Amino acid sequence: MPSSQRRDPHRLLPVDPSTRAIAADLYARVAAAPIISPHGHVPPSLLLDDQPFANPADLFITNDHYVTRLLHAAGVDLAELGADADPREAWRLLARHWHLFAGTASGYWIDEALGTVLGIDPPLTMHTYDEIASRLTEPGFRPRALFDRFGIEFLATTDDPLDDLAVHAQLQSAGLRVAPTFRPDRYVDPDNAGFADAVARLGQMTFAGYLAALEARREHFIRHGAVSADHGVVEPYTVDLDPADAERLFQLVLVGGGTVEERRTFRGHMLLQLARMSVDDGLVMTIHAGVLRNHSTPTFDRFGPDTGHDLPVPTSFVHGLRPLLERFGLERDLHIVLFTVDETAYSREIAPMASFYPSLYIGAPWWFLDAPDAMARVRSAVTETAGFYRSSGFIDDTRAFLSIPARHDTARRADAGYLARLVREGRVDLSAAERIIDDLVGDIPRAVFKL
Amino acid sequence: MPSSQRRDPHRLLPVDPSTRAIAADLYARVAAAPIISPHGHVPPSLLLDDQPFANPADLFITNDHYVTRLLHAAGVDLAELGADADPREAWRLLARHWHLFAGTASGYWIDEALGTVLGIDPPLTMHTYDEIASRLTEPGFRPRALFDRFGIEFLATTDDPLDDLAVHAQLQSAGLRVAPTFRPDRYVDPDNAGFADAVARLGQMTFAGYLAALEARREHFIRHGAVSADHGVVEPYTVDLDPADAERLFQLVLVGGGTVEERRTFRGHMLLQLARMSVDDGLVMTIHAGVLRNHSTPTFDRFGPDTGHDLPVPTSFVHGLRPLLERFGLERDLHIVLFTVDETAYSREIAPMASFYPSLYIGAPWWFLDAPDAMARVRSAVTETAGFYRSSGFIDDTRAFLSIPARHDTARRADAGYLARLVREGRVDLSAAERIIDDLVGDIPRAVFKL
Amino acid sequence: MPSSQRRDPHRLLPVDPSTRAIAADLYARVAAAPIISPHGHVPPSLLLDDQPFANPADLFITNDHYVTRLLHAAGVDLAELGADADPREAWRLLARHWHLFAGTASGYWIDEALGTVLGIDPPLTMHTYDEIASRLTEPGFRPRALFDRFGIEFLATTDDPLDDLAVHAQLQSAGLRVAPTFRPDRYVDPDNAGFADAVARLGQMTFAGYLAALEARREHFIRHGAVSADHGVVEPYTVDLDPADAERLFQLVLVGGGTVEERRTFRGHMLLQLARMSVDDGLVMTIHAGVLRNHSTPTFDRFGPDTGHDLPVPTSFVHGLRPLLERFGLERDLHIVLFTVDETAYSREIAPMASFYPSLYIGAPWWFLDAPDAMARVRSAVTETAGFYRSSGFIDDTRAFLSIPARHDTARRADAGYLARLVREGRVDLSAAERIIDDLVGDIPRAVFKL
């Protein structure tokens, strides 16, 4: 990796020299620590097939809605960036608009992947395309080789509840700790277009049977190494219903009926039921709340979901999670990790809740907040209330495989910088800071995700 | 205090050397200034009885829900930390989990109390317990001696409207400026379980009589030195009603009737009536808004209120306070201090409101926000709009007596740091900064609280 | 300008020495760049008449509700500061309360105007009054001379749709690029007291005729150099109606009818119609959202609008703008600039939206947020998601003519400081930072406002 040395070794660390020195020491402790990635979207077949990446556009553009969205905002048609586009032309569009990415998280990740993973110097041009393409032909740049080089100790994927998980079984046989994650959104949200079909595939037509079918699938996931179940919701809203009401609502929404409020109630009850299942089977529950999916209908109609127009909305947890927490909040073996893209919730709600309820953990800065300044804001927002040990450890949540080390590295640098400031301000002893940064990349995610 | 020297004298000050030097000079001006504590929860009998503190757990754990909540989140049963628990065992639990407090406000306060007040060196262990216990037997560590040593010029307690205030009278006879604060929440909120009983104790069964009874109690408080009345509300909501409607609502809620909205209206009208009383009798009105009390019913049922699960909710003041402000907002002798734990309200609403209405003041960062980073955020959020002279001065709001000097000291350091940055950025002259920091600990709280 | 040298040349730049050095270099590139002011409230007659400013109070107090509001909060009656007050007495009130402005944006602007524009040294006293008065008699301090000295390349005013724009025509004939801005609020909001009269003046009694009349006035504005239309709304809410429903609602609200919700629907439909007009005629659309006007009715009754009690409320864009964006959001020639005084919307909504929709731009920090710390917070909140090229460039939005260079200078310093930190943190190359700061004051506002 000749070029990785050329990147500033102190990048992202605080600018004050004495603080930077402490931060550099703290960072050095964990720079090469194994990567624990308990939530993300890497396709497991990528690792099983272990084929060379198709081309630089496929690697850095086509599948990365962080990148395509900003090009789209600049006037590029998404069709010019998709799987059917000419990859060189797609890259040309990226290169032409590369200055738009200055200061962004995705620009930084690409710089890191080029410099640190692929050993390619800036600037990003058409020449870069050829350099990457050349690298991709080398055995050392296949997915499995990179998996090893990245030092990934544990990688969770995100999967449909009816997935047979055969790919995971094969990966585990091959010695890779790649675990599935149970993601039942489309099976539990009546407003999801595929809801009725999904439930039908579960093959149960009573509410009790439906719950049992979900439980059985969770068992299947657990047998294949799953440690968590993931839930994407627009609002973190829960409702406790008695079985008869739940049955009635289930039958109603199953045939596309129910008012907006009734469908909301059903969804809210299912989030509570899924917590109950986690109490029973031990799967960690991650809740990603507050994103309105597919805001632009014309874009959705042309290009489908995950094309850059999922948008955050104001999010509050205290009222909506109360029914769930009244039932299960004091369960010590229940782990719920709360993620938000409305960062106001961190100091106002998430830190106060997670510093009382043993079941609640503060999720790492997610999505638009997965960036150095935002990380600093979030640590500042939660630590004075909840300390470091109620947070989840870093979670990359990515489908961009090459960005995984850059994302974890960014979090390590951000935490080193935050801790170094506390040391310099006399708020944390250096020895305590050393333990904390070690734990943040190791024991904390292992404990939160029961690894 | 041998060990206080061992604490970093520049703790909490900015890390940039030249900024830190200015901050240190500004801090030095006020480090030893008298403490004005216009709102808090110290029991007045603590000072009247002047008994030695029972034991280290009683002092640092049992009564401090900042501490117990974080231990509870770590899996400790609250029963192991309560008044009936073995204090050594409670301390052992604190010592075992002490690393969880790194970076938290309450961890810092305990460090300060140990190092600066009690002269005990870290680390916090079982040996610390014995050291504290030994200190507590010395006369110099009784409440009154500490009150003197802390340099408390004025201390307000928080009291029930029907309290006879005999304890305050005795303290004042003894020369201590300890004033009661009129806190009528349970007398004015129909959703409070004790509402009907509380009103019954006032002995008046018409709305006019009820208001007169509250006014009479306020007079009783004023005769005993009270300067303010405190109001804890979930939402800062006010309603102006004509007397007939108010009477009708009063009779309705008094017997447990009324819809959710009617009880809200009554509560909102009472907040407006209490402002009217403040216009009439001059008591400063403090409003602590936006906390949902007793979120965890099972915890409340076992351990009662104030056990760590009061949680902030999104809070907005502009619409809700408008009826009150339309009636009384331009009264120059009315002082209303607004507190929030939704920090978004500071730049969006509280600073704009307080920089127009002569009756409104910006409350100090409160509860979860009473910590160095949060203080810096709040100063940054309000100062560019409202300057320094629309803020209330620091308020400790604590029942943890030993933390009082640490809390005021933290605010002084935070303000020195913020001002030093403005000086270094050429935004405030050094001489202006000197006047401001003097005023922040002296003339400003005296003026806001009419001392 | 002898005294401008006495102001700290590094004011507002970061305190860390190496970061400050980079920031100073970046700032130096743009310190003297021409001022592009695409939205503001300078009366065009000020420049056409080119009379000397009446007196120092007229210049710095009477018309500046940033200043009068803080004096009012301190207990000054607004009548003592108005056009009918003795200007020397008004100035005396400012001088007496000048310490209240320490740390505020308006205090800084006045310091800048005095030091840099007028060459007058601090402190601000009655002597200052005489010095300013003396300057105002000099030809070099008339509005046109200052316009030239400030280096204003483009200045937009804000105007009533029925304004004949003769003043603008004369200014343009004289070679000044002073453009009108179409501001139709009172013509489209049924809750505005002057709505019916305003619509009547358009002379059309059908909805189609009313729309056509607005379109015709926009054409008139475009012929007089307008580049944008500005919209002040309490909530960014849009509704798509079919023509029959719109016609029915129009007739209803025109006679003062309709429920609260119907008037809201009409207003929301008009915002969508105005976007449709922008698609048709190319006027940039600026939306200033989230301010509740005239909060204090007694103040409004005595002193009218714009007297310091317009207050921000919680603001969210994602749901409310969806109907508009579903119709027009992907139009590449449509430019909508979103302004908020609820800063939580920046990271949560505005940056995510503007980094997908080609029609949306991130408005500069506005009103209470037009200040150094707030600017830093906003850059931090949006850049990691949206980069620099989805922001609008700086907008002064002021009626205080003498503050224009100070406001633009503040933004340039703030951006230099932010960029310098990114350079020092290894996130942006110095050469990229140089291009960005050049673009922020030049190509970016020119592109966003189609200059």
Side-chain angles (χ1 to χ4, degrees), chain C residues 120-158:
Chain C
I120 293 172
D121 288 332
L124 186 152
T125 62
M126 289 313 293
H127 179 63
T128 315
Y129 185 93
D130 298 324
E131 289 186 288
I132 301 169
S134 162
R135 291 286 191 290
L136 296 185
T137 63
E138 299 174 26
F141 292 94
R142 292 202 181 181
R144 288 277 270 277
L146 291 172
F147 187 91
D148 291 343
R149 172 137 65 94
F150 293 169
I152 297 176
E153 173 182 310
F154 177 83
L155 180 77
T157 63
T158 298

Tab-separated table of all heavy atoms in Angstrom, chain C residues 120-158:
chain	number	residue	atom	x	y	z
C	120	ILE	N	-14.531	55.108	13.010
C	120	ILE	CA	-14.712	55.681	14.338
C	120	ILE	C	-14.307	54.653	15.392
C	120	ILE	O	-14.696	53.487	15.323
C	120	ILE	CB	-16.187	56.102	14.541
C	120	ILE	CG1	-16.509	57.268	13.597
C	120	ILE	CG2	-16.468	56.462	16.000
C	120	ILE	CD1	-17.959	57.652	13.569
C	121	ASP	N	-13.530	55.122	16.344
C	121	ASP	CA	-13.025	54.206	17.366
C	121	ASP	C	-14.053	53.976	18.464
C	121	ASP	O	-14.851	54.852	18.771
C	121	ASP	CB	-11.762	54.796	17.999
C	121	ASP	CG	-10.590	54.737	17.038
C	121	ASP	OD1	-10.571	53.831	16.186
C	121	ASP	OD2	-9.707	55.610	17.134
C	122	PRO	N	-13.966	52.818	19.104
C	122	PRO	CA	-14.747	52.591	20.312
C	122	PRO	C	-14.196	53.483	21.445
C	122	PRO	O	-13.102	54.047	21.300
C	122	PRO	CB	-14.540	51.112	20.608
C	122	PRO	CG	-13.309	50.717	19.873
C	122	PRO	CD	-13.154	51.672	18.727
C	123	PRO	N	-14.886	53.589	22.582
C	123	PRO	CA	-16.181	52.998	22.885
C	123	PRO	C	-17.338	53.795	22.266
C	123	PRO	O	-17.148	54.924	21.840
C	123	PRO	CB	-16.244	53.073	24.412
C	123	PRO	CG	-15.480	54.308	24.744
C	123	PRO	CD	-14.356	54.366	23.737
C	124	LEU	N	-18.476	53.159	22.245
C	124	LEU	CA	-19.670	53.816	21.724
C	124	LEU	C	-20.263	54.716	22.811
C	124	LEU	O	-20.729	54.233	23.842
C	124	LEU	CB	-20.674	52.738	21.274
C	124	LEU	CG	-21.946	53.208	20.565
C	124	LEU	CD1	-22.438	52.111	19.628
C	124	LEU	CD2	-23.042	53.586	21.542
C	125	THR	N	-20.203	56.024	22.567
C	125	THR	CA	-20.683	57.008	23.555
C	125	THR	C	-21.472	58.093	22.829
C	125	THR	O	-21.735	57.981	21.627
C	125	THR	CB	-19.480	57.682	24.246
C	125	THR	OG1	-18.749	58.373	23.216
C	125	THR	CG2	-18.578	56.667	24.924
C	126	MET	N	-21.795	59.149	23.556
C	126	MET	CA	-22.447	60.276	22.906
C	126	MET	C	-21.475	60.979	21.961
C	126	MET	O	-21.894	61.584	20.971
C	126	MET	CB	-22.972	61.261	23.956
C	126	MET	CG	-24.176	60.742	24.735
C	126	MET	SD	-25.481	60.001	23.680
C	126	MET	CE	-26.070	61.456	22.795
C	127	HIS	N	-20.193	60.919	22.276
C	127	HIS	CA	-19.202	61.475	21.365
C	127	HIS	C	-19.271	60.764	20.007
C	127	HIS	O	-19.115	61.386	18.948
C	127	HIS	CB	-17.812	61.331	21.985
C	127	HIS	CG	-16.716	61.854	21.105
C	127	HIS	ND1	-16.619	63.187	20.741
C	127	HIS	CD2	-15.688	61.220	20.482
C	127	HIS	CE1	-15.573	63.350	19.949
C	127	HIS	NE2	-14.987	62.179	19.772
C	128	THR	N	-19.503	59.479	20.061
C	128	THR	CA	-19.648	58.719	18.817
C	128	THR	C	-20.768	59.304	17.966
C	128	THR	O	-20.663	59.376	16.739
C	128	THR	CB	-19.956	57.238	19.136
C	128	THR	OG1	-19.081	56.781	20.164
C	128	THR	CG2	-19.817	56.368	17.911
C	129	TYR	N	-21.840	59.677	18.637
C	129	TYR	CA	-22.972	60.267	17.909
C	129	TYR	C	-22.493	61.456	17.074
C	129	TYR	O	-22.791	61.568	15.877
C	129	TYR	CB	-24.050	60.720	18.894
C	129	TYR	CG	-25.303	61.233	18.230
C	129	TYR	CD1	-26.383	60.385	17.973
C	129	TYR	CD2	-25.415	62.569	17.838
C	129	TYR	CE1	-27.530	60.860	17.361
C	129	TYR	CE2	-26.549	63.050	17.219
C	129	TYR	CZ	-27.619	62.189	16.977
C	129	TYR	OH	-28.736	62.658	16.347
C	130	ASP	N	-21.746	62.324	17.707
C	130	ASP	CA	-21.292	63.519	16.999
C	130	ASP	C	-20.335	63.163	15.869
C	130	ASP	O	-20.390	63.758	14.791
C	130	ASP	CB	-20.624	64.474	17.992
C	130	ASP	CG	-21.612	64.936	19.056
C	130	ASP	OD1	-22.808	65.123	18.722
C	130	ASP	OD2	-21.194	65.085	20.218
C	131	GLU	N	-19.501	62.197	16.121
C	131	GLU	CA	-18.571	61.783	15.061
C	131	GLU	C	-19.323	61.230	13.859
C	131	GLU	O	-19.018	61.553	12.708
C	131	GLU	CB	-17.605	60.710	15.584
C	131	GLU	CG	-16.585	61.227	16.577
C	131	GLU	CD	-15.580	60.127	16.920
C	131	GLU	OE1	-15.973	59.179	17.638
C	131	GLU	OE2	-14.430	60.194	16.460
C	132	ILE	N	-20.316	60.381	14.136
C	132	ILE	CA	-21.093	59.828	13.020
C	132	ILE	C	-21.809	60.962	12.294
C	132	ILE	O	-21.783	61.054	11.058
C	132	ILE	CB	-22.143	58.811	13.516
C	132	ILE	CG1	-21.467	57.655	14.251
C	132	ILE	CG2	-22.965	58.279	12.341
C	132	ILE	CD1	-22.448	56.747	15.003
C	133	ALA	N	-22.461	61.827	13.060
C	133	ALA	CA	-23.220	62.923	12.445
C	133	ALA	C	-22.312	63.733	11.525
C	133	ALA	O	-22.724	64.139	10.425
C	133	ALA	CB	-23.836	63.795	13.537
C	134	SER	N	-21.095	63.917	11.971
C	134	SER	CA	-20.151	64.662	11.145
C	134	SER	C	-19.821	63.902	9.864
C	134	SER	O	-19.823	64.467	8.763
C	134	SER	CB	-18.886	64.938	11.973
C	134	SER	OG	-17.819	65.269	11.134
C	135	ARG	N	-19.585	62.608	9.989
C	135	ARG	CA	-19.307	61.805	8.789
C	135	ARG	C	-20.476	61.895	7.792
C	135	ARG	O	-20.265	61.956	6.586
C	135	ARG	CB	-19.137	60.326	9.147
C	135	ARG	CG	-17.923	59.957	9.915
C	135	ARG	CD	-16.654	59.974	9.087
C	135	ARG	NE	-15.599	59.353	9.856
C	135	ARG	CZ	-15.040	59.899	10.944
C	135	ARG	NH1	-15.427	61.085	11.367
C	135	ARG	NH2	-14.090	59.255	11.592
C	136	LEU	N	-21.688	61.880	8.312
C	136	LEU	CA	-22.851	61.784	7.426
C	136	LEU	C	-23.016	63.015	6.542
C	136	LEU	O	-23.723	62.972	5.538
C	136	LEU	CB	-24.127	61.553	8.245
C	136	LEU	CG	-24.178	60.237	9.031
C	136	LEU	CD1	-25.543	60.071	9.699
C	136	LEU	CD2	-23.884	59.042	8.136
C	137	THR	N	-22.361	64.091	6.925
C	137	THR	CA	-22.445	65.287	6.071
C	137	THR	C	-21.480	65.210	4.902
C	137	THR	O	-21.581	65.992	3.959
C	137	THR	CB	-22.100	66.551	6.890
C	137	THR	OG1	-20.741	66.433	7.333
C	137	THR	CG2	-23.041	66.699	8.088
C	138	GLU	N	-20.541	64.285	4.958
C	138	GLU	CA	-19.545	64.192	3.882
C	138	GLU	C	-20.133	63.448	2.687
C	138	GLU	O	-20.880	62.490	2.853
C	138	GLU	CB	-18.294	63.449	4.377
C	138	GLU	CG	-17.600	64.130	5.550
C	138	GLU	CD	-16.455	63.268	6.096
C	138	GLU	OE1	-15.896	62.454	5.327
C	138	GLU	OE2	-16.151	63.408	7.298
C	139	PRO	N	-19.774	63.880	1.486
C	139	PRO	CA	-20.302	63.227	0.270
C	139	PRO	C	-19.960	61.737	0.228
C	139	PRO	O	-20.732	60.925	-0.274
C	139	PRO	CB	-19.606	63.963	-0.870
C	139	PRO	CG	-19.060	65.215	-0.288
C	139	PRO	CD	-18.876	65.008	1.171
C	140	GLY	N	-18.805	61.389	0.772
C	140	GLY	CA	-18.362	59.999	0.707
C	140	GLY	C	-19.194	59.052	1.548
C	140	GLY	O	-18.998	57.831	1.476
C	141	PHE	N	-20.129	59.598	2.330
C	141	PHE	CA	-20.956	58.739	3.172
C	141	PHE	C	-22.423	58.765	2.765
C	141	PHE	O	-23.288	58.360	3.523
C	141	PHE	CB	-20.759	59.107	4.651
C	141	PHE	CG	-19.388	58.762	5.136
C	141	PHE	CD1	-18.370	59.709	5.130
C	141	PHE	CD2	-19.079	57.469	5.532
C	141	PHE	CE1	-17.082	59.376	5.542
C	141	PHE	CE2	-17.799	57.138	5.948
C	141	PHE	CZ	-16.788	58.086	5.943
C	142	ARG	N	-22.675	59.282	1.568
C	142	ARG	CA	-24.025	59.150	1.035
C	142	ARG	C	-24.242	57.721	0.524
C	142	ARG	O	-23.288	57.009	0.218
C	142	ARG	CB	-24.222	60.136	-0.114
C	142	ARG	CG	-24.229	61.567	0.400
C	142	ARG	CD	-24.943	62.439	-0.603
C	142	ARG	NE	-24.928	63.811	-0.138
C	142	ARG	CZ	-25.486	64.819	-0.782
C	142	ARG	NH1	-26.100	64.599	-1.940
C	142	ARG	NH2	-25.441	66.024	-0.289
C	143	PRO	N	-25.486	57.311	0.401
C	143	PRO	CA	-25.768	55.912	0.021
C	143	PRO	C	-25.061	55.462	-1.256
C	143	PRO	O	-24.471	54.376	-1.289
C	143	PRO	CB	-27.294	55.916	-0.148
C	143	PRO	CG	-27.770	56.938	0.836
C	143	PRO	CD	-26.719	58.021	0.815
C	144	ARG	N	-25.093	56.249	-2.309
C	144	ARG	CA	-24.479	55.813	-3.570
C	144	ARG	C	-22.972	55.678	-3.455
C	144	ARG	O	-22.376	54.734	-3.995
C	144	ARG	CB	-24.815	56.805	-4.688
C	144	ARG	CG	-26.252	56.756	-5.140
C	144	ARG	CD	-26.471	55.647	-6.156
C	144	ARG	NE	-26.251	56.133	-7.502
C	144	ARG	CZ	-27.166	56.792	-8.228
C	144	ARG	NH1	-28.374	57.008	-7.740
C	144	ARG	NH2	-26.888	57.210	-9.424
C	145	ALA	N	-22.352	56.591	-2.738
C	145	ALA	CA	-20.900	56.495	-2.556
C	145	ALA	C	-20.563	55.228	-1.762
C	145	ALA	O	-19.584	54.522	-2.077
C	145	ALA	CB	-20.384	57.734	-1.826
C	146	LEU	N	-21.385	54.946	-0.773
C	146	LEU	CA	-21.131	53.733	0.006
C	146	LEU	C	-21.400	52.479	-0.826
C	146	LEU	O	-20.654	51.493	-0.737
C	146	LEU	CB	-22.011	53.726	1.271
C	146	LEU	CG	-21.638	54.779	2.324
C	146	LEU	CD1	-22.693	54.815	3.429
C	146	LEU	CD2	-20.250	54.496	2.910
C	147	PHE	N	-22.447	52.525	-1.612
C	147	PHE	CA	-22.748	51.402	-2.516
C	147	PHE	C	-21.515	51.072	-3.362
C	147	PHE	O	-21.130	49.910	-3.508
C	147	PHE	CB	-23.934	51.804	-3.410
C	147	PHE	CG	-24.481	50.710	-4.271
C	147	PHE	CD1	-25.507	49.889	-3.821
C	147	PHE	CD2	-23.988	50.494	-5.561
C	147	PHE	CE1	-26.036	48.880	-4.627
C	147	PHE	CE2	-24.503	49.482	-6.368
C	147	PHE	CZ	-25.534	48.674	-5.902
C	148	ASP	N	-20.884	52.128	-3.885
C	148	ASP	CA	-19.668	51.907	-4.675
C	148	ASP	C	-18.531	51.392	-3.796
C	148	ASP	O	-17.847	50.432	-4.141
C	148	ASP	CB	-19.239	53.215	-5.337
C	148	ASP	CG	-20.221	53.632	-6.431
C	148	ASP	OD1	-21.015	52.766	-6.889
C	148	ASP	OD2	-20.225	54.820	-6.803
C	149	ARG	N	-18.356	52.057	-2.672
C	149	ARG	CA	-17.242	51.659	-1.804
C	149	ARG	C	-17.402	50.224	-1.313
C	149	ARG	O	-16.421	49.489	-1.186
C	149	ARG	CB	-17.163	52.607	-0.608
C	149	ARG	CG	-16.167	52.159	0.448
C	149	ARG	CD	-15.311	53.291	0.988
C	149	ARG	NE	-16.097	54.265	1.709
C	149	ARG	CZ	-16.281	54.247	3.043
C	149	ARG	NH1	-15.726	53.298	3.784
C	149	ARG	NH2	-16.993	55.180	3.630
C	150	PHE	N	-18.629	49.828	-1.021
C	150	PHE	CA	-18.860	48.456	-0.531
C	150	PHE	C	-18.573	47.410	-1.610
C	150	PHE	O	-18.449	46.229	-1.315
C	150	PHE	CB	-20.310	48.282	-0.061
C	150	PHE	CG	-20.682	49.066	1.170
C	150	PHE	CD1	-22.015	49.171	1.559
C	150	PHE	CD2	-19.720	49.697	1.949
C	150	PHE	CE1	-22.370	49.885	2.692
C	150	PHE	CE2	-20.075	50.422	3.087
C	150	PHE	CZ	-21.408	50.525	3.456
C	151	GLY	N	-18.484	47.848	-2.863
C	151	GLY	CA	-18.227	46.887	-3.940
C	151	GLY	C	-19.413	45.971	-4.207
C	151	GLY	O	-19.246	44.763	-4.421
C	152	ILE	N	-20.603	46.558	-4.189
C	152	ILE	CA	-21.806	45.751	-4.397
C	152	ILE	C	-22.014	45.513	-5.888
C	152	ILE	O	-22.238	46.448	-6.657
C	152	ILE	CB	-23.046	46.441	-3.775
C	152	ILE	CG1	-22.851	46.559	-2.249
C	152	ILE	CG2	-24.315	45.647	-4.092
C	152	ILE	CD1	-23.965	47.305	-1.532
C	153	GLU	N	-21.911	44.267	-6.265
C	153	GLU	CA	-22.050	43.902	-7.681
C	153	GLU	C	-23.519	43.741	-8.042
C	153	GLU	O	-23.933	44.037	-9.172
C	153	GLU	CB	-21.308	42.576	-7.903
C	153	GLU	CG	-21.483	41.975	-9.273
C	153	GLU	CD	-20.753	40.636	-9.389
C	153	GLU	OE1	-19.553	40.583	-9.023
C	153	GLU	OE2	-21.375	39.644	-9.828
C	154	PHE	N	-24.286	43.251	-7.088
C	154	PHE	CA	-25.709	42.993	-7.342
C	154	PHE	C	-26.447	43.135	-6.026
C	154	PHE	O	-26.028	42.569	-5.021
C	154	PHE	CB	-25.893	41.576	-7.900
C	154	PHE	CG	-27.334	41.197	-8.117
C	154	PHE	CD1	-27.999	41.574	-9.282
C	154	PHE	CD2	-28.033	40.489	-7.153
C	154	PHE	CE1	-29.335	41.234	-9.487
C	154	PHE	CE2	-29.372	40.136	-7.351
C	154	PHE	CZ	-30.015	40.515	-8.521
C	155	LEU	N	-27.550	43.866	-6.052
C	155	LEU	CA	-28.358	44.038	-4.845
C	155	LEU	C	-29.816	43.823	-5.196
C	155	LEU	O	-30.351	44.491	-6.086
C	155	LEU	CB	-28.175	45.443	-4.272
C	155	LEU	CG	-28.985	45.758	-2.997
C	155	LEU	CD1	-28.343	45.117	-1.769
C	155	LEU	CD2	-29.093	47.281	-2.788
C	156	ALA	N	-30.460	42.898	-4.492
C	156	ALA	CA	-31.892	42.702	-4.687
C	156	ALA	C	-32.644	43.359	-3.538
C	156	ALA	O	-32.236	43.263	-2.376
C	156	ALA	CB	-32.223	41.219	-4.752
C	157	THR	N	-33.719	44.030	-3.888
C	157	THR	CA	-34.628	44.585	-2.885
C	157	THR	C	-35.831	43.653	-2.774
C	157	THR	O	-35.906	42.636	-3.480
C	157	THR	CB	-35.079	45.991	-3.301
C	157	THR	OG1	-35.817	45.857	-4.528
C	157	THR	CG2	-33.870	46.890	-3.531
C	158	THR	N	-36.766	43.978	-1.904
C	158	THR	CA	-37.963	43.150	-1.734
C	158	THR	C	-39.182	44.053	-1.904
C	158	THR	O	-39.287	45.078	-1.236
C	158	THR	CB	-37.959	42.492	-0.351
C	158	THR	OG1	-36.813	41.629	-0.276
C	158	THR	CG2	-39.211	41.655	-0.141
